[in-house]
DNA sequence: AACTGTGAAGTTTTTCACAGCC
DNA sequence: GGCTGTGAAAAACTTCACAGTT
């Protein structure tokens, strides 16, 4: 992601807000009303000062002596992140991964809705995932353009990912979540984030003790 | 992840090595032999100095005036990351997501193999994903312990994730990839990494222009 | 008494810039 | 001429510490 476009709030701080939001939602589900930066930090493995500072960039939503009202903070963070509305998302690729994403029900109450899924395999097209039907890749441009789709998730085989991204970019999309294990080349104003479990696994492996060395 | 255990190499630099490895693999597939830090950086959207510095922590694998031999660098990075061997991984949860992970064929040539999958749904247990069979959750402890499994991927519903993590930790696992949208509480010596697409989406949404404001 | 908001201090990470090498 | 390896400078980020508020 080539981000730091914004005025002056560190991208890395913005990146933590979704984690705060996620944790706050769980607290709310446990019928909690108030939380301190210390408790929130402990749950997330983050220092309390960092949380206060991050929230402070956006005005500070807490009460001295008390902490943060969970409902209020959730509401404010959703507004800051622009997820108080519902973004329409297109998924490209309806294989194992694309279909798992499309069937996942967790998007909606966090600000997103998968509204379209595309694939180029004839046996896939027409399949129903919950409320949506798999469309042909031939319809990609028409659907993305006509609906002013801003976010796409790419879940196609790695050798098709760049071509698919190029097609989406031409349609005016602004942001891509790429599940294919390849760095995409896109114009500077397009936001790209990557989800590649193997990157995480390889990162972790560095810190693991090799069994043989242990013995 | 509570990482900085290591001697003195920044965790964040280690985290970039898998990206370098991934990009190098693509270059190799295009029959390239040599690459400069500048070209590699351009592909990844990273400064060339950063790449040189990262590689330098591990000794510096380049040749002045020339660049980096791709084959050699791949080999060295795999060794550094300990992915020149094959780690056995267990997936917990065989729903949409768990089965997509388990069927994915991209793990093997990047240092990992999904060797076991568990679920608690009777209609799931016994299903075959490629070469592996879905096992009952009742067998979790026995399998993890007997095989000294070090890495598990959690792909169960959010309300079961913590309990599943607890069970895995007792079995002596060292690292968790958690796909459930919740922060896990685990002992300090367990490495946890999170994969939650909605965290990425929410992060991106912050930088998107709201349609209404554009007009 | 408990907790936030926030400048200032401290630390980490990135970038610069150039000597040394091919 | 082109490129790496690497100290030193710059920038970014985190933590401290405390005034101020409830």
């Amino acid at each position: 992601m080539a981000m730091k476009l914004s005025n002056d709030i560190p991208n890395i701080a913005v990146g933590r807000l979704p984690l705060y939001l996620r944790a706050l939602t769980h607290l709310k589900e446990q019928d909690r009303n108030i939380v301190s930066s210390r408790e929130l930090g402990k749950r997330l493995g983050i220092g309390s000062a960092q949380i206060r500072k991050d929230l402070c960039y956006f005005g500070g939503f807490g009460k001295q002596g008390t902490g943060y009202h969970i409902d209020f903070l959730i509401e404010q963070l959703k507004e800051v992140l622009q997820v108080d509305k519902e973004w329409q998302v297109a998924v490209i690729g309806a294989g194992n991964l694309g279909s798992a994403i499309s069937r996942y029900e967790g998007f909606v109450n966090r600000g997103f809705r998968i509204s379209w899924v595309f694939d180029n395999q004839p046996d896939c097209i027409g399949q129903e995932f919950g409320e949506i039907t798999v469309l042909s890749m031939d319809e990609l441009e028409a659907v993305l353009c006509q609906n002013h789709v801003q976010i796409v998730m790419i879940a196609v085989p790695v050798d098709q990912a760049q071509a698919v991204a190029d097609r989406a970019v031409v349609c005016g999309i602004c942001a891509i979540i790429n599940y294919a294990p390849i760095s995409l080349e896109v114009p500077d104003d397009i936001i790209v984030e990557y989800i590649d479990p193997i990157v995480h696994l390889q990162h972790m492996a560095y810190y693991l003790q090799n069994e043989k060395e242990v013995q």
Side-chain angles (χ1 to χ4, degrees), chain A:
Chain A
M1 228 186 354
M3 283 184 187
K4 195 58 191 284
L5 331 122
S6 157
N7 23 3
D8 53 343
I9 295 169
N11 178 34
I12 195 164
V14 176
R16 279 187 295 262
L17 300 187
L19 304 179
Y20 301 161
L21 189 48
R22 198 174 66 180
L24 289 163
T25 306
H26 290 127
L27 285 167
K28 183 187 163 95
E29 282 164 7
Q30 290 161 37
D31 292 320
R32 294 282 308 278
N33 291 310
I34 287 174
V35 70
S36 67
S37 57
R38 191 142 67 87
E39 185 187 351
L40 191 57
K42 203 178 153 202
R43 296 208 165 217
L44 292 167
I46 291 178
S48 63
Q50 174 134 240
I51 290 178
R52 290 199 302 279
K53 180 148 287 227
D54 286 347
L55 297 176
C56 189
Y57 287 123
F58 302 96
F61 306 117
K63 280 210 173 18
Q64 285 159 323
T66 311
Y68 297 88
H69 274 277
I70 292 173
D71 280 339
F72 178 69
L73 186 51
I74 288 175
E75 203 174 289
Q76 294 298 309
L77 288 180
K78 283 190 171 177
E79 196 177 315
V80 166
L81 289 169
Q82 303 196 95
V83 295
D84 49 347
K85 55 168 281 187
E86 193 174 76
W87 297 87
Q88 311 283 325
V89 179
V91 173
I92 311 182
N96 291 327
L97 182 58
S99 75
I101 295 167
S102 306
R103 290 180 216 263
Y104 181 57
E105 294 177 359
F107 288 100
V108 169
N109 52 23
R110 294 172 74 191
F112 302 88
R113 180 184 293 274
I114 308 291
S115 300
W116 307 277
V117 188
F118 300 89
D119 205 296
N120 60 5
Q121 300 291 314
D123 56 338
C124 251
I125 298 165
Q127 259 189 275
E128 312 250 323
F129 297 158
E131 294 183 350
I132 53 177
T133 306
V134 180
L135 304 175
S136 164
M137 282 297 287
D138 298 340
E139 303 179 65
L140 183 71
E141 281 80 2
V143 172
L144 294 186
C145 293
Q146 280 164 28
N147 295 282
H148 306 292
V149 178
Q150 296 193 69
I151 307 171
V152 302
M153 303 177 85
I154 295 181
V156 300
V158 61
D159 56 304
Q160 296 168 41
Q162 181 65 57
V164 160
D166 293 342
R167 287 176 66 181
V169 165
V170 170
C171 298
I173 60 106
C174 315
I176 296 172
I177 301 264
N178 181 28
Y179 279 89
I182 185 173
S183 293
L184 298 176
E185 303 212 40
V186 296
D188 279 349
D189 60 333
I190 307 282
I191 301 167
V192 186
E193 297 220 5
Y194 296 89
I195 296 182
D196 182 353
I198 300 171
V199 165
H200 294 271
L201 287 167
Q202 291 183 338
H203 186 181
M204 296 190 318
Y206 177 83
Y207 295 99
L208 294 178
Q209 299 292 324
N210 203 308
E211 281 265 300
K212 280 171 193 153
E213 289 169 19
V214 174
Q215 288 169 356

